[in-house]
Each structure stands twice: as structure tokens, then as C-alpha cells.
Amino acid sequence: MNRALKGAIFDMDGTLLDSMTAWDGVGEAFLQSQGVAVSDGLMGILAPLSFSQTARYFQSLGVSLDEKTILARLNGCVERKYRESLPLKPGAKALVEWLSGKGVRLCVATATHPSLAKAALARTGLLPFLSFVLSCQEAGCPKDQPVFYERAAAMLGTKKEETVVFEDALYCVKSAKAAGFRVVGVFDPSEPQADEVKNQADGYLSSLEQAPQAMKAWWEEWT
């Protein structure tokens, strides 16, 4: 039985924020700076990892720096972009405002370091609409673990059947679905399996600019 929609969990990078290109080559450049050979498929390996897991993975490859230093250097590579220039995806603010106006409790759940996430969300005007920003670092688990989304919903105070998750990455869609949430897939050109995201999600947005009209239809279906 459907319940009223009371909560929405948003991914940030690639879903609300047009930021995926900010990370292009960052891992490779860091490893090369440490004299560590870069293997093919590094981006695919790093995609589901939290920041702490990324640091530990780099250590397993031979990086001798401690976790805190690794994270500081990775963040430093992209910090200015998050604080000063990365834009919202078209339609992102309108969607957030629409849901907030409906009384839906909103949060962002992201793999990005919390300081970077909050800086970008504050600059783009989304932070005031959010109950909180939850990072993998704060949750204590990566986004490929369904418990990540369960913890976000628990913090929102909403039940799974009352909560929708917005994600652009296939592994995140699978994780949120495995946790029992309704999921809306959001197209991002950085996701190589966008067709599969569309197939597995309960709803799909090829652009957030379509969101208000689509959400009105889904609202009737989901409540």
C-alpha cells in the first residue's frame, strides 16, 4: 500500500550538482605524484568507495602517506571548484523547492567530503532546504551498502515506503533499491550505464528540468 511521500534523499554529484568532471583524473594524478603506477579501470574501482576507503586503497597500492594526508590532498585538488564554480544541474533548485513546498523533508547523502558538499550546497542556495547533509565518512559506510540509505532515512525520520531516493549512478540505484527504497534515476553523461539506471529505477529523469511535471504525475501514483 502506498504511503504519503514524506522524505527525499538526494545524491549530490551528478544528480544535483554538475560536478563529476571535477574529479576527472584526480586519482590518477595523485598516484602518479606518489610514484605509483596507474592501472586501467581506476575510476571504476574508486566509484563506489568512500573517501576513507579510497585512501586505504591508495595505501594498498603503495602510497606511504597517512589517510588524513591523502584525503587532504585529494580534497585540495577540487576544493576551489566546489567552493567557487561548480554549477547546479538545470532544474535542480526548482525540484528541491517544489518538494520542500509540498512539505517533504529533504537531505543530501553523498560520498563527497562534507566540507566540500556543504560549501557547494550553500553557494548554490540549496542548503537552507535540507534537513542535513550526510557523507559516507559520517555514516561510516560507502554508498554501495544499503545501510547507508537506511541511516539517511532514519535521520530524516521517514519510513522507506515514504521516502524517494534520487541517484545518477547505477551502483547507488542498486544499493538504494536493495534497501527497499523507491528510486528516481537522474541522467548524467558520466554514468556509462545510464540505460541500466533507467531500467532499474522506479522513475527516470533525462533532465531535472522535466522533474516538476514528472513529479506531479508520480506524486499521484506514490501517495
Side-chain angles (χ1 to χ4, degrees):
M1 181 173 63
N2 288 333
R3 301 287 186 88
L5 187 62
K6 295 181 180 179
I9 299 170
F10 282 95
D11 170 54
M12 186 181 73
D13 295 282
T15 298
L16 292 175
L17 197 66
D18 190 4
S19 54
M20 296 305 291
T21 57
W23 291 97
D24 287 352
V26 170
E28 291 90 337
F30 173 78
L31 290 176
Q32 289 171 351
S33 74
Q34 299 300 304
V36 176
V38 178
S39 60
D40 292 338
L42 179 64
M43 286 298 292
I45 294 170
L46 299 182
L49 302 184
S50 67
F51 263 56
S52 293
Q53 285 177 318
T54 296
R56 292 194 292 271
Y57 177 68
F58 285 168
Q59 289 173 330
S60 75
L61 296 179
V63 174
S64 59
L65 302 175
D66 61 58
E67 182 177 319
K68 184 177 180 180
T69 301
I70 294 173
L71 297 183
R73 294 194 183 183
L74 292 174
N75 286 335
C77 292
V78 296
E79 182 174 9
R80 185 171 181 177
K81 295 179 182 179
Y82 276 88
R83 295 189 182 281
E84 298 180 8
S85 63
L86 291 174
L88 290 177
K89 298 182 80 168
K93 192 167 188 180
L95 172 57
V96 167
E97 289 177 337
W98 187 85
L99 286 168
S100 180
K102 290 285 189 180
V104 178
R105 279 169 276 181
L106 311 176
C107 72
V108 158
T110 178
T112 296
H113 192 279
S115 65
L116 301 185
K118 290 175 184 177
L121 292 166
R123 174 178 53 78
T124 55
L126 294 191
L127 196 59
F129 294 96
L130 305 175
S131 296
F132 57 88
V133 177
L134 177 66
S135 70
C136 292
Q137 180 177 341
E138 294 163 325
C141 59
K143 296 183 76 174
D144 63 350
Q145 294 185 14
V147 68
F148 177 81
Y149 297 94
E150 293 172 348
R151 289 175 182 169
M155 291 174 66
L156 273 181
T158 57
K159 298 177 181 178
K160 292 179 183 181
E161 60 268 27
E162 302 170 337
T163 308
V164 62
V165 175
F166 292 83
E167 283 283 2
D168 67 298
L170 180 60
Y171 80 93
C172 293
V173 171
K174 289 181 176 180
S175 182
K177 291 282 288 182
F181 291 91
R182 184 181 293 115
V183 179
V184 172
V186 178
F187 173 75
D188 191 81
S190 69
E191 172 52 62
Q193 296 175 292
D195 288 344
E196 192 61 23
V197 169
K198 185 175 183 178
N199 290 336
Q200 297 207 21
D202 299 285
Y204 189 74
L205 297 169
S206 57
S207 167
L208 291 183
E209 292 175 296
Q210 299 175 336
Q213 182 177 357
M215 286 301 301
K216 288 175 184 177
W218 293 335
W219 189 272
E220 297 299 323
E221 178 183 350
W222 294 347
T223 59

